Amino acid sequence: MTEHTDISIKERVELIRERIAASAAASGRSASEVMLVGVTKTRTVEEMMQAVPFVDAIGENKVQEAAGKKESWGAAASPQWRLIGHLQTNKARRAIEIFDSIDSVDSVPLAVRLDRIAGELGRRPRILIEVNTAHDGEKTGASEEELPALLDCAAGLRNLELEGFMTIGPLTDDEAAVRGAFARLRELAEGARRTTGLALPVLSMGMSGDFEWAIAEGSTMVRVGTSIFGKRDYRAV
Ligand SMILES: *Cc1c(COP(=O)(O)O)cnc(C)c1O
């Protein structure tokens, strides 16, 4: 992966947009079908603000970190905030207060709790179900075995708007393995549309290292951090 450290955040987003457009075109799709989420974990509010006019949403992994950033956001136009990291049930209330969409719903108890709290707060957040398609023990996300029950539950909850699915591809350069995981999420979504009758338009898949493969497999939302902001320094947080 090429990292452009000598150019501005705006220019790096433009390069990503060009690559999104090229991969979409190569599969006969339009770039407008693919949302770009700028992943801003470990990044400062100043860096975020440089990217916000050019991305469709921002993605944060931790409730606490996002809460701090949102507090210091000030008067600038606020982006759409999406939670893409694992959510512990005890942070569900704070997550609903902060995020427009929770993309990492991975269990029935979490979905039920989010629904109850959303009802109490009079909100109707969007959610995605995160599926572990990489079959990787360290990854978060519901297993395929857990998916039917979670889907059945989430589709019936009144205070959450289930929009689709999210996955993290396997961490490997093996194109067939990565594309296979993304293709699997697409198939699971097709099955879920049939069983629920819901539109479920969102397939959030693809990060800096693999978003072009994800688009080839039908991604409608890519989550890009490193290729926009450079390498992360976790010691800074
Ligand atoms: C950090 C993260 C990303 C962005 O990864 P990059 O490789 O930096 O683009 C995307 N999705 C999730 C769930 C993440 O945790």
Side-chain angles (χ1 to χ4, degrees), residues 1 39 41 61 84-85 130 166 168 206-209 223-227 230 232 234:
M1 180 191 4
V39 176
K41 60 182 175 232
N61 285 63
I84 61 170
E130 182 179 359
M166 193 263 253
I168 300 174
M207 323 202 309
S208 291
R223 310 177 305 266
V224 179
T226 309
S227 292
R232 281 181 290 276
Y234 285 94

Side-chain angles (χ1 to χ4, degrees), residues 12-35:
R12 278 181 254 165
V13 177
E14 283 167 357
L15 288 171
I16 301 293
R17 291 278 189 197
E18 284 168 21
R19 288 169 59 191
I20 289 174
S23 350
S27 343
R29 304 178 60 206
S30 152
S32 63
E33 293 170 35
V34 184
M35 238 177 105

Side-chain angles (χ1 to χ4, degrees), residues 140-205:
T140 55
S143 67
E144 285 194 26
E145 292 70 39
E146 294 164 333
L147 182 59
L150 176 54
L151 179 64
D152 194 44
C153 167
L157 294 172
R158 252 188 286 166
N159 304 308
L160 303 178
E161 187 164 342
L162 176 61
E163 292 201 311
F165 298 90
M166 193 263 253
T167 199
I168 300 174
L171 281 178
T172 165
D173 293 335
D174 180 349
E175 177 171 354
V178 176
R179 288 186 63 153
F182 294 150
R184 186 65 191 142
L185 192 73
R186 188 189 63 230
E187 287 165 13
L188 292 170
E190 284 160 4
R193 285 180 200 121
R194 283 194 300 272
T195 55
T196 63
L198 298 175
L200 306 175
V202 179
L203 277 183
S204 173
M205 51 191 201

